[in-house]
């Protein structure tokens, strides 16, 4: 989901798009205006839930009760849409099997086993764009933001490159001359933690790669924090042991206690140790060392630890995070655990760096895409 558009890849590597206004119209057609408004608040513009105007509005009992009435009679309010008019965007098919994708700065980055590919996407310029091959090395994951794109290339390492902004035909010459920065010698996956990176390399515990930043104005009037460089990767194992306050004897045992990093969602690190699940909050403020401390705002019941043992990804939301695993998808918030899927899905995505979709979840299945939002009715 990007700039009021839904982007979807089919199994052949063709990129399609559809405007969310079209989705809104279809929701109102198959349901009603009331449901369409709820879809906006909870899914298509989920940042509304964080606004003071929204909180003031739902604090009024005479408004809150009828507004959420459709949700009070069922555990799930589901609106099924048929959208056959998806528009092909790319003139070319992305080669290989898609492993990851991200959109940033009017650029779509697609990681495949045939390499990393980049194309331009701007809703104001609906014409198809060319496809640029960034690298021919197989890529397992890609992240982008704050003026940089980083790609995991397995034994070829973790590489980063500046993202060139601007639209039109001049974007390919700009990226063709861009230089790469090698951040790690081996990378099976890369994730973001605020402006920084976590590299999941040969060790089971990721390394923290701190970014060097500055503030830059953009043509749209906003300022952006732009990454200008990186420090050397910093191992996290000892910091995790210290933050969890495990005993000295445990820490000395074969280099540390037996624990598994399930993954991270932005600055939250999810850790499994035996039958317990822990959450650590990471921070790396300017001129200060990396800090990790226990985050007890999200508690995972021990009975559910085994159900998400084989995690595929963890992703951030404003309200918490999701864990995608072999048995489905779970949403974790300070209110508890909610199962969103009870089977292996193609992919689960969140959009924590967007302005509109900070609490929206997209789950891709074999023959459909679920757009999911949520609200705590008891807390309203």
């Amino acid at each position: 989901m990007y700039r009021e558009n839904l982007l979807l890849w089919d199994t052949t590597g063709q990129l399609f798009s559809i405007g969310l206004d079209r989705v809104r119209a279809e929701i109102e057609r198959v349901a009603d205006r009331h449901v369409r408004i709820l879809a906006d608040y909870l899914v298509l513009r989920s940042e509304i839930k964080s606004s003071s105007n929204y909180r003031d509005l739902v604090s009024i009992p005479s408004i809150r009760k009828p507004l959420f009435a459709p949700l009070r009679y069922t555990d799930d309010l589901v609106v099924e849409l048929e959208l056959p008019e998806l528009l092909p965007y790319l003139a070319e098919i992305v080669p290989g099997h898609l492993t990851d994708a991200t959109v940033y700065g009017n650029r779509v980055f697609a990681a495949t086993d045939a390499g990393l590919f980049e194309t331009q996407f701007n809703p104001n310029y609906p014409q198809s764009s060319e496809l640029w091959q960034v690298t021919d090395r197989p890529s397992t994951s890609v992240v982008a933001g704050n003026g940089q794109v980083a790609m995991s290339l397995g034994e070829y390492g973790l590489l980063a490159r500046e993202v060139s902004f601007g639209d039109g035909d001049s974007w390919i010459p700009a990226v063709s001359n861009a230089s790469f920065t090698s951040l790690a010698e081996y990378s099976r996956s890369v994730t973001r933690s605020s402006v920084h990176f976590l590299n999941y390399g040969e060790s089971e515990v990721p390394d923290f790669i701190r970014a060097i930043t500055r503030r830059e104005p953009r043509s749209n009037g906003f300022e952006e924090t732009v990454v200008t460089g990186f420090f050397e990767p910093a191992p996290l194992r000892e910091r995790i042991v210290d933050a969890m306050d495990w005993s000295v004897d445990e820490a000395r045992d074969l280099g540390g206690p037996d624990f598994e990093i399930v993954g991270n969602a932005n600055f939250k690190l999810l850790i499994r140790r035996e039958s317990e699940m822990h959450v650590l909050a990471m921070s790396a403020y300017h001129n200060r060392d990396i800090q990790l401390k226990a985050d007890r705002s999200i508690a995972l019941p021990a009975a559910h630890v085994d159900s998400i043992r084989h995690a595929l990804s963890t992703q951030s939301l404003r309200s918490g995070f999701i864990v995608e695993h072999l048995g489905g998808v779970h949403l974790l918030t300070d209110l508890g655990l909610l199962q969103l899927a009870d089977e292996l899905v193609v992919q689960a995505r969140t959009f924590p760096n967007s302005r509109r979709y900070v609490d929206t979840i997209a789950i891709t299945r074999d023959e459909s895409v679920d757009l999911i939002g949520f609200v705590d009715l008891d807390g309203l």
Side-chain angles (χ1 to χ4, degrees):
M1 297 175 71
Y2 182 71
R3 293 185 60 181
E4 288 294 313
N5 283 266
L6 179 64
L7 306 181
L8 305 115
W9 304 87
D10 71 6
T11 55
T12 70
Q14 175 67 64
L15 176 62
F16 293 82
S17 69
I18 186 169
L20 291 182
D21 279 344
R22 176 69 188 88
V23 176
R24 289 184 179 90
E26 186 69 4
I27 292 172
E28 189 162 336
R29 186 187 69 82
V30 301
D32 56 32
R33 189 177 186 185
H34 191 161
V35 172
R36 193 268 297 164
I37 292 172
L38 286 177
D40 250 351
Y41 284 7
L42 305 182
V43 183
L44 303 179
R45 290 295 302 270
S46 58
E47 90 285 359
I48 291 175
K49 292 193 300 180
S50 303
S51 70
S52 59
N53 288 339
Y54 169 84
R55 291 193 297 268
D56 288 345
L57 185 69
V58 298
S59 69
I60 303 172
S62 60
I63 294 178
R64 179 179 66 247
K65 186 174 181 178
L67 176 62
F68 292 107
L71 297 175
R72 295 186 180 276
Y73 306 122
T74 177
D75 291 337
D76 298 299
L77 178 60
V78 178
V79 180
E80 296 184 1
L81 307 179
E82 295 289 341
L83 298 170
E85 65 273 20
L86 293 172
L87 302 175
Y89 182 76
L90 273 177
E92 302 174 68
I93 301 295
V94 176
H97 298 285
L98 191 70
T99 56
D100 197 10
T102 191
V103 189
Y104 166 72
N106 292 341
R107 302 288 184 266
V108 180
F109 298 95
T112 81
D113 57 5
L116 184 77
F117 297 86
E118 178 179 355
T119 191
Q120 179 179 235
F121 179 83
N122 187 336
N124 297 323
Y125 299 90
Q127 66 272 21
S128 292
S129 176
E130 294 182 72
L131 186 67
W132 172 256
Q133 186 166 19
V134 178
T135 176
D136 60 2
R137 306 298 190 187
S139 181
T140 53
S141 69
V142 58
V143 294
N146 303 99
Q148 293 278 336
V149 57
M151 61 212 78
S152 293
L153 305 178
E155 62 183 4
Y156 297 101
L158 175 65
L159 299 184
R161 194 210 72 196
E162 184 180 355
V163 176
S164 63
F165 297 97
D167 302 298
D169 298 333
S170 63
W171 75 274
I172 285 187
V175 301
S176 63
N177 295 319
S179 60
F180 293 87
T181 301
S182 177
L183 304 182
E185 293 184 357
Y186 184 86
S187 180
R188 52 191 166 91
S189 180
V190 60
T191 60
R192 283 165 53 83
S193 177
S194 182
V195 298
H196 315 289
F197 294 147
L198 262 69
N199 179 50
Y200 292 79
E202 294 181 295
S203 171
E204 293 184 358
V205 180
D207 291 336
F208 191 95
I209 301 177
R210 184 197 288 262
I212 304 167
T213 63
R214 68 166 180 258
R215 298 286 290 174
E216 284 190 358
R218 294 297 184 208
S219 58
N220 58 9
F222 291 94
E223 278 195 346
E224 183 178 16
T225 299
V226 175
V227 173
T228 59
F230 301 92
F231 289 91
E232 290 294 315
L236 291 179
R237 173 175 282 277
E238 291 186 8
R239 288 179 169 89
I240 291 171
V241 172
D242 291 341
M244 295 309 303
D245 197 25
W246 285 319
S247 72
V248 174
D249 290 338
E250 288 176 311
R252 287 175 177 170
D253 181 22
L254 300 177
D258 184 21
F259 62 87
E260 174 192 355
I261 302 299
V262 178
N264 75 286
N266 200 356
F267 55 86
K268 294 184 184 295
L269 195 64
L270 188 62
I271 301 170
R272 178 188 293 108
R273 184 172 184 239
E274 297 177 346
S275 61
E276 299 176 338
M277 196 76 79
H278 305 273
V279 179
L280 289 181
M282 299 178 290
S283 62
Y285 295 110
H286 184 63
N287 290 331
R288 295 172 64 179
D289 195 12
I290 302 167
Q291 299 290 321
L292 280 81
K293 61 180 181 180
D295 183 346
R296 294 182 173 84
S297 65
I298 296 177
L300 183 65
H304 295 285
V305 171
D306 285 340
S307 67
I308 59 174
R309 179 166 295 278
H310 302 289
L312 300 174
S313 74
T314 58
Q315 299 184 55
S316 178
L317 293 160
R318 178 164 288 176
S319 302
F321 55 89
I322 65 169
V323 180
E324 176 191 6
H325 52 93
L326 294 180
V329 181
H330 278 85
L331 165 66
L332 285 76
T333 73
D334 57 358
L335 300 172
L337 185 73
L338 178 65
Q339 188 176 59
L340 303 180
D342 59 3
E343 61 183 0
L344 179 65
V345 300
V346 175
Q347 189 181 54
R349 293 293 302 270
T350 64
F351 313 93
N353 298 313
S354 69
R355 293 175 184 165
R356 300 176 177 90
Y357 321 117
V358 290
D359 247 3
T360 302
I361 302 162
I363 295 180
T364 303
R365 304 177 187 270
D366 287 336
E367 297 180 351
S368 65
V369 175
D370 298 344
L371 300 180
I372 300 172
F374 54 93
V375 67
D376 173 29
L377 292 178
D378 292 335
L380 295 175

